[in-house]
Amino acid sequence: MSDSRFDGRTADQLREIRFTRSFTCHAEGSVLVEFGRTRVLCTASVEEKVPPHRRGSGLGWVTAEYGMLPRATHTRSEREVKRGRPQGRTEEIQRLIGRSLRSVFDFSALGERQIVLDCDVLQADGGTRTAAITGAAVAAWDACEGLLRTGAVSAHPMRELVGAVSVGLLGGRVLVDLAYEEDSRCDCDMNVVGTGAGNLVEVQGTAEGDPFSRAQLDAMVDAAQAALRRIHELQRQALRDAA
């Protein structure tokens, strides 16, 4: 029996990941990130204002918004603006993106300004939130580089990069970077967010069928951290390349 997955990958193999920087011309940072067939446009906008809880503090802020285009999935979904408010899943994901990016920022270096990260899913094939976090970090880095170039800040506001990857159990096997075909059938679905230094920011895991053991949890986190090391290498390579 072959150990390969439905798309030919090995259990620990990521999908092809690509970053296209400066994908749009207006935002201070913009990246089209692709995890296989999942494609997310991430833009970073610098605003010379902060939320009320930061005013007068000298500290900056980072927040995020997330959305999916109506035909990002197999069937068309109604735009959330027609419903009057975001769905619970949307709010959960954009809060996760914001928390993840805030974990690597030095807000005193950013100064009293805000970076807004907009993550718009153009095409979904599993792992949209992990792709969004990974792409948003590159977009935010570019925006911070712009602040440095103009002298708006004297030190880089981002201490390091942050990225994310999905991992799961399917038929007793630990698989990384789940495409929709696997995500929809897995026994456990987990999203792991980690920094370039190898530290964890957030681990989200849920048993979809039978409960999983502590040993399986450790195996999934280990596999995710190994994949994250590769993701951070790709982020750094993208930032070294000319935009």
Side-chain angles (χ1 to χ4, degrees), residues 73-120:
T73 55
H74 296 89
T75 58
R76 186 184 186 277
S77 58
E78 188 178 58
R79 294 182 190 272
E80 292 186 337
V81 67
K82 293 186 67 176
R83 299 173 183 165
R85 58 163 296 170
Q87 296 183 51
R89 176 181 179 275
T90 298
E91 291 186 330
E92 176 216 341
I93 292 174
Q94 58 192 27
R95 287 171 182 164
L96 171 64
I97 298 167
R99 288 195 302 271
S100 299
L101 270 293
R102 287 193 292 272
S103 73
V104 294
F105 263 82
D106 178 348
F107 289 118
S108 60
L110 181 60
E112 206 163 309
R113 58 177 57 85
Q114 175 171 256
I115 295 180
V116 181
L117 300 162
D118 287 293
C119 301
D120 295 291

mmCIF file of all heavy atoms in Angstrom, residues 73-120:
data_model
loop_
_atom_site.group_PDB
_atom_site.id
_atom_site.type_symbol
_atom_site.label_atom_id
_atom_site.label_comp_id
_atom_site.label_asym_id
_atom_site.label_seq_id
_atom_site.Cartn_x
_atom_site.Cartn_y
_atom_site.Cartn_z
ATOM 1 N N THR A 73 -15.168 29.013 -2.812
ATOM 2 C CA THR A 73 -15.392 27.600 -2.523
ATOM 3 C C THR A 73 -16.159 26.938 -3.666
ATOM 4 O O THR A 73 -16.477 27.572 -4.677
ATOM 5 C CB THR A 73 -16.159 27.437 -1.209
ATOM 6 O OG1 THR A 73 -17.366 28.209 -1.282
ATOM 7 C CG2 THR A 73 -15.343 27.946 -0.031
ATOM 8 N N HIS A 74 -16.494 25.652 -3.472
ATOM 9 C CA HIS A 74 -17.137 24.882 -4.535
ATOM 10 C C HIS A 74 -18.484 25.465 -4.961
ATOM 11 O O HIS A 74 -18.875 25.383 -6.117
ATOM 12 C CB HIS A 74 -17.334 23.430 -4.080
ATOM 13 C CG HIS A 74 -16.040 22.708 -3.839
ATOM 14 N ND1 HIS A 74 -15.407 22.726 -2.612
ATOM 15 C CD2 HIS A 74 -15.264 21.968 -4.664
ATOM 16 C CE1 HIS A 74 -14.292 22.009 -2.691
ATOM 17 N NE2 HIS A 74 -14.176 21.547 -3.911
ATOM 18 N N THR A 75 -19.202 26.024 -4.007
ATOM 19 C CA THR A 75 -20.482 26.666 -4.312
ATOM 20 C C THR A 75 -20.433 28.114 -3.854
ATOM 21 O O THR A 75 -19.677 28.460 -2.938
ATOM 22 C CB THR A 75 -21.649 25.946 -3.606
ATOM 23 O OG1 THR A 75 -21.406 25.940 -2.185
ATOM 24 C CG2 THR A 75 -21.770 24.510 -4.101
ATOM 25 N N ARG A 76 -21.239 28.967 -4.458
ATOM 26 C CA ARG A 76 -21.220 30.383 -4.116
ATOM 27 C C ARG A 76 -21.822 30.623 -2.739
ATOM 28 O O ARG A 76 -22.853 30.042 -2.384
ATOM 29 C CB ARG A 76 -22.008 31.202 -5.151
ATOM 30 C CG ARG A 76 -21.896 32.700 -4.921
ATOM 31 C CD ARG A 76 -22.738 33.516 -5.882
ATOM 32 N NE ARG A 76 -22.486 34.932 -5.701
ATOM 33 C CZ ARG A 76 -23.069 35.684 -4.759
ATOM 34 N NH1 ARG A 76 -23.960 35.137 -3.941
ATOM 35 N NH2 ARG A 76 -22.769 36.973 -4.650
ATOM 36 N N SER A 77 -21.157 31.457 -1.958
ATOM 37 C CA SER A 77 -21.697 31.872 -0.661
ATOM 38 C C SER A 77 -22.089 33.343 -0.731
ATOM 39 O O SER A 77 -21.483 34.125 -1.468
ATOM 40 C CB SER A 77 -20.666 31.660 0.449
ATOM 41 O OG SER A 77 -19.476 32.378 0.164
ATOM 42 N N GLU A 78 -23.096 33.708 0.021
ATOM 43 C CA GLU A 78 -23.576 35.092 0.036
ATOM 44 C C GLU A 78 -22.560 35.990 0.732
ATOM 45 O O GLU A 78 -21.933 35.597 1.718
ATOM 46 C CB GLU A 78 -24.913 35.147 0.782
ATOM 47 C CG GLU A 78 -25.610 36.488 0.707
ATOM 48 C CD GLU A 78 -26.953 36.451 1.417
ATOM 49 O OE1 GLU A 78 -26.983 36.138 2.623
ATOM 50 O OE2 GLU A 78 -27.964 36.727 0.775
ATOM 51 N N ARG A 79 -22.378 37.186 0.215
ATOM 52 C CA ARG A 79 -21.478 38.135 0.870
ATOM 53 C C ARG A 79 -22.000 38.460 2.265
ATOM 54 O O ARG A 79 -23.192 38.705 2.466
ATOM 55 C CB ARG A 79 -21.358 39.420 0.051
ATOM 56 C CG ARG A 79 -20.682 39.218 -1.300
ATOM 57 C CD ARG A 79 -20.537 40.532 -2.045
ATOM 58 N NE ARG A 79 -20.114 40.324 -3.420
ATOM 59 C CZ ARG A 79 -18.850 40.234 -3.815
ATOM 60 N NH1 ARG A 79 -17.881 40.374 -2.928
ATOM 61 N NH2 ARG A 79 -18.549 40.039 -5.087
ATOM 62 N N GLU A 80 -21.074 38.503 3.221
ATOM 63 C CA GLU A 80 -21.488 38.721 4.607
ATOM 64 C C GLU A 80 -22.081 40.110 4.820
ATOM 65 O O GLU A 80 -22.878 40.311 5.728
ATOM 66 C CB GLU A 80 -20.304 38.481 5.541
ATOM 67 C CG GLU A 80 -19.896 37.015 5.577
ATOM 68 C CD GLU A 80 -18.824 36.718 6.604
ATOM 69 O OE1 GLU A 80 -18.077 37.659 6.982
ATOM 70 O OE2 GLU A 80 -18.719 35.559 7.035
ATOM 71 N N VAL A 81 -21.688 41.077 3.974
ATOM 72 C CA VAL A 81 -22.231 42.420 4.133
ATOM 73 C C VAL A 81 -23.750 42.414 3.958
ATOM 74 O O VAL A 81 -24.467 43.240 4.541
ATOM 75 C CB VAL A 81 -21.555 43.391 3.136
ATOM 76 C CG1 VAL A 81 -21.927 43.057 1.701
ATOM 77 C CG2 VAL A 81 -21.900 44.836 3.453
ATOM 78 N N LYS A 82 -24.281 41.464 3.181
ATOM 79 C CA LYS A 82 -25.730 41.383 2.985
ATOM 80 C C LYS A 82 -26.435 40.881 4.228
ATOM 81 O O LYS A 82 -27.632 41.109 4.408
ATOM 82 C CB LYS A 82 -26.043 40.467 1.804
ATOM 83 C CG LYS A 82 -25.596 41.003 0.448
ATOM 84 C CD LYS A 82 -26.051 40.128 -0.687
ATOM 85 C CE LYS A 82 -27.567 40.151 -0.841
ATOM 86 N NZ LYS A 82 -28.002 39.371 -2.023
ATOM 87 N N ARG A 83 -25.671 40.196 5.102
ATOM 88 C CA ARG A 83 -26.274 39.669 6.327
ATOM 89 C C ARG A 83 -26.206 40.672 7.471
ATOM 90 O O ARG A 83 -26.776 40.441 8.530
ATOM 91 C CB ARG A 83 -25.562 38.385 6.743
ATOM 92 C CG ARG A 83 -25.663 37.284 5.688
ATOM 93 C CD ARG A 83 -24.801 36.121 6.066
ATOM 94 N NE ARG A 83 -24.837 35.078 5.038
ATOM 95 C CZ ARG A 83 -23.985 34.084 4.962
ATOM 96 N NH1 ARG A 83 -23.005 33.991 5.848
ATOM 97 N NH2 ARG A 83 -24.088 33.174 4.008
ATOM 98 N N GLY A 84 -25.444 41.730 7.270
ATOM 99 C CA GLY A 84 -25.377 42.771 8.284
ATOM 100 C C GLY A 84 -24.254 42.618 9.279
ATOM 101 O O GLY A 84 -23.941 43.563 9.995
ATOM 102 N N ARG A 85 -23.629 41.446 9.330
ATOM 103 C CA ARG A 85 -22.517 41.239 10.260
ATOM 104 C C ARG A 85 -21.755 39.985 9.849
ATOM 105 O O ARG A 85 -22.294 39.107 9.182
ATOM 106 C CB ARG A 85 -23.002 41.085 11.702
ATOM 107 C CG ARG A 85 -23.971 39.955 11.939
ATOM 108 C CD ARG A 85 -24.070 39.604 13.412
ATOM 109 N NE ARG A 85 -22.793 39.096 13.905
ATOM 110 C CZ ARG A 85 -22.543 38.897 15.195
ATOM 111 N NH1 ARG A 85 -23.462 39.191 16.096
ATOM 112 N NH2 ARG A 85 -21.379 38.418 15.576
ATOM 113 N N PRO A 86 -20.472 39.886 10.287
ATOM 114 C CA PRO A 86 -19.694 38.698 9.943
ATOM 115 C C PRO A 86 -20.235 37.452 10.649
ATOM 116 O O PRO A 86 -20.832 37.544 11.731
ATOM 117 C CB PRO A 86 -18.278 39.025 10.457
ATOM 118 C CG PRO A 86 -18.269 40.493 10.684
ATOM 119 C CD PRO A 86 -19.668 40.883 11.015
ATOM 120 N N GLN A 87 -20.014 36.304 10.042
ATOM 121 C CA GLN A 87 -20.361 35.049 10.686
ATOM 122 C C GLN A 87 -19.399 34.777 11.840
ATOM 123 O O GLN A 87 -18.301 35.345 11.912
ATOM 124 C CB GLN A 87 -20.285 33.898 9.686
ATOM 125 C CG GLN A 87 -21.283 33.983 8.548
ATOM 126 C CD GLN A 87 -21.184 32.771 7.645
ATOM 127 O OE1 GLN A 87 -21.217 31.625 8.085
ATOM 128 N NE2 GLN A 87 -21.060 33.020 6.360
ATOM 129 N N GLY A 88 -19.801 33.869 12.727
ATOM 130 C CA GLY A 88 -18.947 33.522 13.857
ATOM 131 C C GLY A 88 -17.595 32.989 13.429
ATOM 132 O O GLY A 88 -16.568 33.306 14.033
ATOM 133 N N ARG A 89 -17.573 32.174 12.372
ATOM 134 C CA ARG A 89 -16.301 31.632 11.885
ATOM 135 C C ARG A 89 -15.385 32.754 11.419
ATOM 136 O O ARG A 89 -14.181 32.733 11.698
ATOM 137 C CB ARG A 89 -16.552 30.656 10.732
ATOM 138 C CG ARG A 89 -15.274 30.120 10.088
ATOM 139 C CD ARG A 89 -15.591 29.182 8.928
ATOM 140 N NE ARG A 89 -14.372 28.688 8.294
ATOM 141 C CZ ARG A 89 -13.697 29.317 7.349
ATOM 142 N NH1 ARG A 89 -14.140 30.515 6.919
ATOM 143 N NH2 ARG A 89 -12.593 28.804 6.827
ATOM 144 N N THR A 90 -15.929 33.728 10.723
ATOM 145 C CA THR A 90 -15.130 34.849 10.237
ATOM 146 C C THR A 90 -14.525 35.623 11.399
ATOM 147 O O THR A 90 -13.330 35.958 11.395
ATOM 148 C CB THR A 90 -15.995 35.787 9.381
ATOM 149 O OG1 THR A 90 -16.463 35.064 8.237
ATOM 150 C CG2 THR A 90 -15.214 37.005 8.923
ATOM 151 N N GLU A 91 -15.327 35.913 12.418
ATOM 152 C CA GLU A 91 -14.823 36.654 13.576
ATOM 153 C C GLU A 91 -13.734 35.876 14.301
ATOM 154 O O GLU A 91 -12.732 36.446 14.736
ATOM 155 C CB GLU A 91 -15.978 36.973 14.528
ATOM 156 C CG GLU A 91 -16.971 37.993 13.965
ATOM 157 C CD GLU A 91 -18.020 38.397 14.968
ATOM 158 O OE1 GLU A 91 -18.366 37.559 15.832
ATOM 159 O OE2 GLU A 91 -18.493 39.546 14.889
ATOM 160 N N GLU A 92 -13.935 34.572 14.424
ATOM 161 C CA GLU A 92 -12.931 33.732 15.088
ATOM 162 C C GLU A 92 -11.608 33.786 14.346
ATOM 163 O O GLU A 92 -10.540 33.939 14.957
ATOM 164 C CB GLU A 92 -13.430 32.285 15.156
ATOM 165 C CG GLU A 92 -12.419 31.309 15.738
ATOM 166 C CD GLU A 92 -12.444 29.946 15.081
ATOM 167 O OE1 GLU A 92 -13.433 29.599 14.423
ATOM 168 O OE2 GLU A 92 -11.426 29.232 15.218
ATOM 169 N N ILE A 93 -11.660 33.670 13.012
ATOM 170 C CA ILE A 93 -10.427 33.630 12.230
ATOM 171 C C ILE A 93 -9.719 34.979 12.250
ATOM 172 O O ILE A 93 -8.486 35.047 12.392
ATOM 173 C CB ILE A 93 -10.718 33.179 10.787
ATOM 174 C CG1 ILE A 93 -11.158 31.710 10.779
ATOM 175 C CG2 ILE A 93 -9.494 33.375 9.895
ATOM 176 C CD1 ILE A 93 -11.603 31.192 9.423
ATOM 177 N N GLN A 94 -10.459 36.072 12.129
ATOM 178 C CA GLN A 94 -9.763 37.355 12.108
ATOM 179 C C GLN A 94 -9.163 37.696 13.470
ATOM 180 O O GLN A 94 -8.100 38.330 13.554
ATOM 181 C CB GLN A 94 -10.658 38.479 11.580
ATOM 182 C CG GLN A 94 -11.923 38.743 12.291
ATOM 183 C CD GLN A 94 -12.838 39.676 11.467
ATOM 184 O OE1 GLN A 94 -12.783 39.731 10.241
ATOM 185 N NE2 GLN A 94 -13.686 40.409 12.157
ATOM 186 N N ARG A 95 -9.794 37.226 14.541
ATOM 187 C CA ARG A 95 -9.179 37.410 15.862
ATOM 188 C C ARG A 95 -7.909 36.585 15.987
ATOM 189 O O ARG A 95 -6.918 37.032 16.574
ATOM 190 C CB ARG A 95 -10.178 37.021 16.952
ATOM 191 C CG ARG A 95 -11.299 38.039 17.132
ATOM 192 C CD ARG A 95 -12.366 37.512 18.061
ATOM 193 N NE ARG A 95 -13.468 38.462 18.202
ATOM 194 C CZ ARG A 95 -14.651 38.161 18.686
ATOM 195 N NH1 ARG A 95 -14.915 36.921 19.086
ATOM 196 N NH2 ARG A 95 -15.597 39.079 18.783
ATOM 197 N N LEU A 96 -7.925 35.368 15.436
ATOM 198 C CA LEU A 96 -6.724 34.526 15.450
ATOM 199 C C LEU A 96 -5.590 35.188 14.682
ATOM 200 O O LEU A 96 -4.442 35.210 15.150
ATOM 201 C CB LEU A 96 -7.043 33.155 14.840
ATOM 202 C CG LEU A 96 -5.847 32.235 14.574
ATOM 203 C CD1 LEU A 96 -5.153 31.849 15.878
ATOM 204 C CD2 LEU A 96 -6.287 30.989 13.802
ATOM 205 N N ILE A 97 -5.880 35.743 13.515
ATOM 206 C CA ILE A 97 -4.846 36.411 12.723
ATOM 207 C C ILE A 97 -4.266 37.587 13.508
ATOM 208 O O ILE A 97 -3.049 37.774 13.583
ATOM 209 C CB ILE A 97 -5.404 36.883 11.371
ATOM 210 C CG1 ILE A 97 -5.891 35.688 10.547
ATOM 211 C CG2 ILE A 97 -4.346 37.668 10.592
ATOM 212 C CD1 ILE A 97 -6.730 36.072 9.338
ATOM 213 N N GLY A 98 -5.146 38.390 14.107
ATOM 214 C CA GLY A 98 -4.677 39.533 14.889
ATOM 215 C C GLY A 98 -3.806 39.115 16.061
ATOM 216 O O GLY A 98 -2.728 39.684 16.285
ATOM 217 N N ARG A 99 -4.248 38.107 16.828
ATOM 218 C CA ARG A 99 -3.452 37.623 17.969
ATOM 219 C C ARG A 99 -2.092 37.114 17.506
ATOM 220 O O ARG A 99 -1.068 37.372 18.147
ATOM 221 C CB ARG A 99 -4.172 36.476 18.692
ATOM 222 C CG ARG A 99 -5.381 36.868 19.488
ATOM 223 C CD ARG A 99 -5.800 35.752 20.439
ATOM 224 N NE ARG A 99 -6.087 34.487 19.773
ATOM 225 C CZ ARG A 99 -7.266 34.127 19.288
ATOM 226 N NH1 ARG A 99 -8.282 34.985 19.344
ATOM 227 N NH2 ARG A 99 -7.452 32.947 18.731
ATOM 228 N N SER A 100 -2.104 36.383 16.411
ATOM 229 C CA SER A 100 -0.867 35.791 15.913
ATOM 230 C C SER A 100 0.152 36.859 15.538
ATOM 231 O O SER A 100 1.340 36.765 15.883
ATOM 232 C CB SER A 100 -1.161 34.904 14.702
ATOM 233 O OG SER A 100 -2.037 33.846 15.050
ATOM 234 N N LEU A 101 -0.296 37.888 14.835
ATOM 235 C CA LEU A 101 0.631 38.948 14.421
ATOM 236 C C LEU A 101 1.060 39.816 15.598
ATOM 237 O O LEU A 101 2.227 40.232 15.675
ATOM 238 C CB LEU A 101 0.001 39.789 13.315
ATOM 239 C CG LEU A 101 0.269 39.325 11.870
ATOM 240 C CD1 LEU A 101 1.749 39.497 11.523
ATOM 241 C CD2 LEU A 101 -0.151 37.894 11.628
ATOM 242 N N ARG A 102 0.151 40.083 16.522
ATOM 243 C CA ARG A 102 0.529 40.906 17.672
ATOM 244 C C ARG A 102 1.624 40.251 18.505
ATOM 245 O O ARG A 102 2.401 40.940 19.181
ATOM 246 C CB ARG A 102 -0.699 41.214 18.532
ATOM 247 C CG ARG A 102 -1.644 42.228 17.902
ATOM 248 C CD ARG A 102 -2.665 42.750 18.894
ATOM 249 N NE ARG A 102 -3.625 41.739 19.307
ATOM 250 C CZ ARG A 102 -4.764 41.479 18.676
ATOM 251 N NH1 ARG A 102 -5.092 42.158 17.583
ATOM 252 N NH2 ARG A 102 -5.598 40.554 19.131
ATOM 253 N N SER A 103 1.710 38.924 18.451
ATOM 254 C CA SER A 103 2.686 38.210 19.277
ATOM 255 C C SER A 103 4.128 38.517 18.894
ATOM 256 O O SER A 103 5.040 38.274 19.692
ATOM 257 C CB SER A 103 2.439 36.697 19.196
ATOM 258 O OG SER A 103 2.845 36.176 17.938
ATOM 259 N N VAL A 104 4.353 39.031 17.688
ATOM 260 C CA VAL A 104 5.731 39.275 17.236
ATOM 261 C C VAL A 104 6.039 40.761 17.055
ATOM 262 O O VAL A 104 7.082 41.112 16.497
ATOM 263 C CB VAL A 104 6.021 38.507 15.923
ATOM 264 C CG1 VAL A 104 5.989 37.005 16.175
ATOM 265 C CG2 VAL A 104 5.052 38.892 14.811
ATOM 266 N N PHE A 105 5.155 41.633 17.515
ATOM 267 C CA PHE A 105 5.364 43.077 17.360
ATOM 268 C C PHE A 105 5.919 43.713 18.624
ATOM 269 O O PHE A 105 5.561 43.330 19.742
ATOM 270 C CB PHE A 105 4.051 43.771 16.999
ATOM 271 C CG PHE A 105 3.894 44.020 15.515
ATOM 272 C CD1 PHE A 105 3.451 43.017 14.677
ATOM 273 C CD2 PHE A 105 4.213 45.244 14.967
ATOM 274 C CE1 PHE A 105 3.310 43.225 13.319
ATOM 275 C CE2 PHE A 105 4.083 45.479 13.604
ATOM 276 C CZ PHE A 105 3.627 44.463 12.780
ATOM 277 N N ASP A 106 6.781 44.691 18.424
ATOM 278 C CA ASP A 106 7.229 45.586 19.483
ATOM 279 C C ASP A 106 6.415 46.864 19.318
ATOM 280 O O ASP A 106 6.706 47.683 18.442
ATOM 281 C CB ASP A 106 8.727 45.864 19.347
ATOM 282 C CG ASP A 106 9.259 46.828 20.407
ATOM 283 O OD1 ASP A 106 8.439 47.464 21.102
ATOM 284 O OD2 ASP A 106 10.487 46.962 20.506
ATOM 285 N N PHE A 107 5.401 47.028 20.142
ATOM 286 C CA PHE A 107 4.473 48.143 19.938
ATOM 287 C C PHE A 107 5.072 49.494 20.301
ATOM 288 O O PHE A 107 4.619 50.525 19.797
ATOM 289 C CB PHE A 107 3.180 47.896 20.715
ATOM 290 C CG PHE A 107 2.339 46.803 20.121
ATOM 291 C CD1 PHE A 107 2.062 45.653 20.843
ATOM 292 C CD2 PHE A 107 1.849 46.916 18.842
ATOM 293 C CE1 PHE A 107 1.293 44.643 20.292
ATOM 294 C CE2 PHE A 107 1.088 45.910 18.274
ATOM 295 C CZ PHE A 107 0.813 44.767 18.998
ATOM 296 N N SER A 108 6.089 49.498 21.146
ATOM 297 C CA SER A 108 6.750 50.777 21.423
ATOM 298 C C SER A 108 7.558 51.224 20.207
ATOM 299 O O SER A 108 7.629 52.416 19.899
ATOM 300 C CB SER A 108 7.645 50.658 22.662
ATOM 301 O OG SER A 108 8.642 49.672 22.474
ATOM 302 N N ALA A 109 8.162 50.268 19.500
ATOM 303 C CA ALA A 109 8.898 50.619 18.280
ATOM 304 C C ALA A 109 7.953 51.070 17.171
ATOM 305 O O ALA A 109 8.300 51.933 16.363
ATOM 306 C CB ALA A 109 9.727 49.416 17.807
ATOM 307 N N LEU A 110 6.762 50.512 17.124
ATOM 308 C CA LEU A 110 5.777 50.903 16.113
ATOM 309 C C LEU A 110 5.281 52.321 16.342
ATOM 310 O O LEU A 110 4.947 53.042 15.398
ATOM 311 C CB LEU A 110 4.610 49.911 16.113
ATOM 312 C CG LEU A 110 3.487 50.146 15.096
ATOM 313 C CD1 LEU A 110 4.012 50.116 13.667
ATOM 314 C CD2 LEU A 110 2.378 49.108 15.279
ATOM 315 N N GLY A 111 5.260 52.743 17.599
ATOM 316 C CA GLY A 111 4.739 54.077 17.905
ATOM 317 C C GLY A 111 3.222 54.074 17.871
ATOM 318 O O GLY A 111 2.586 53.046 17.630
ATOM 319 N N GLU A 112 2.651 55.233 18.097
ATOM 320 C CA GLU A 112 1.197 55.315 18.204
ATOM 321 C C GLU A 112 0.549 55.337 16.819
ATOM 322 O O GLU A 112 0.002 56.339 16.362
ATOM 323 C CB GLU A 112 0.798 56.542 19.019
ATOM 324 C CG GLU A 112 -0.551 56.381 19.709
ATOM 325 C CD GLU A 112 -0.781 57.381 20.822
ATOM 326 O OE1 GLU A 112 0.090 57.506 21.697
ATOM 327 O OE2 GLU A 112 -1.849 58.024 20.811
ATOM 328 N N ARG A 113 0.609 54.197 16.161
ATOM 329 C CA ARG A 113 -0.021 53.979 14.863
ATOM 330 C C ARG A 113 -0.504 52.540 14.803
ATOM 331 O O ARG A 113 -0.113 51.700 15.597
ATOM 332 C CB ARG A 113 0.939 54.300 13.708
ATOM 333 C CG ARG A 113 2.223 53.512 13.732
ATOM 334 C CD ARG A 113 3.103 53.823 12.519
ATOM 335 N NE ARG A 113 3.435 55.233 12.385
ATOM 336 C CZ ARG A 113 4.446 55.836 13.007
ATOM 337 N NH1 ARG A 113 5.230 55.145 13.830
ATOM 338 N NH2 ARG A 113 4.685 57.119 12.811
ATOM 339 N N GLN A 114 -1.348 52.274 13.820
ATOM 340 C CA GLN A 114 -1.974 50.967 13.713
ATOM 341 C C GLN A 114 -1.686 50.345 12.349
ATOM 342 O O GLN A 114 -1.643 51.039 11.329
ATOM 343 C CB GLN A 114 -3.496 51.120 13.889
ATOM 344 C CG GLN A 114 -4.299 49.856 13.675
ATOM 345 C CD GLN A 114 -5.757 50.026 14.065
ATOM 346 O OE1 GLN A 114 -6.181 49.560 15.109
ATOM 347 N NE2 GLN A 114 -6.530 50.709 13.246
ATOM 348 N N ILE A 115 -1.482 49.036 12.341
ATOM 349 C CA ILE A 115 -1.391 48.284 11.089
ATOM 350 C C ILE A 115 -2.618 47.385 10.992
ATOM 351 O O ILE A 115 -2.890 46.590 11.899
ATOM 352 C CB ILE A 115 -0.104 47.456 11.007
ATOM 353 C CG1 ILE A 115 1.117 48.389 10.961
ATOM 354 C CG2 ILE A 115 -0.126 46.544 9.776
ATOM 355 C CD1 ILE A 115 2.450 47.663 10.875
ATOM 356 N N VAL A 116 -3.366 47.553 9.920
ATOM 357 C CA VAL A 116 -4.563 46.750 9.673
ATOM 358 C C VAL A 116 -4.239 45.731 8.595
ATOM 359 O O VAL A 116 -3.803 46.085 7.503
ATOM 360 C CB VAL A 116 -5.760 47.625 9.240
ATOM 361 C CG1 VAL A 116 -6.994 46.753 9.011
ATOM 362 C CG2 VAL A 116 -6.049 48.693 10.281
ATOM 363 N N LEU A 117 -4.467 44.478 8.912
ATOM 364 C CA LEU A 117 -4.197 43.388 7.978
ATOM 365 C C LEU A 117 -5.513 42.880 7.419
ATOM 366 O O LEU A 117 -6.379 42.420 8.168
ATOM 367 C CB LEU A 117 -3.454 42.255 8.694
ATOM 368 C CG LEU A 117 -2.110 42.683 9.285
ATOM 369 C CD1 LEU A 117 -1.649 41.682 10.337
ATOM 370 C CD2 LEU A 117 -1.071 42.844 8.193
ATOM 371 N N ASP A 118 -5.677 42.987 6.121
ATOM 372 C CA ASP A 118 -6.873 42.475 5.441
ATOM 373 C C ASP A 118 -6.497 41.203 4.708
ATOM 374 O O ASP A 118 -5.601 41.209 3.857
ATOM 375 C CB ASP A 118 -7.413 43.516 4.449
ATOM 376 C CG ASP A 118 -8.073 44.680 5.159
ATOM 377 O OD1 ASP A 118 -9.126 44.472 5.778
ATOM 378 O OD2 ASP A 118 -7.524 45.799 5.097
ATOM 379 N N CYS A 119 -7.178 40.119 5.034
ATOM 380 C CA CYS A 119 -6.889 38.820 4.430
ATOM 381 C C CYS A 119 -8.142 38.349 3.696
ATOM 382 O O CYS A 119 -9.151 38.016 4.322
ATOM 383 C CB CYS A 119 -6.488 37.813 5.502
ATOM 384 S SG CYS A 119 -5.019 38.304 6.453
ATOM 385 N N ASP A 120 -8.075 38.353 2.378
ATOM 386 C CA ASP A 120 -9.219 38.010 1.542
ATOM 387 C C ASP A 120 -8.930 36.727 0.772
ATOM 388 O O ASP A 120 -7.984 36.665 -0.019
ATOM 389 C CB ASP A 120 -9.529 39.159 0.576
ATOM 390 C CG ASP A 120 -9.979 40.409 1.317
ATOM 391 O OD1 ASP A 120 -11.083 40.384 1.875
ATOM 392 O OD2 ASP A 120 -9.213 41.392 1.352
#
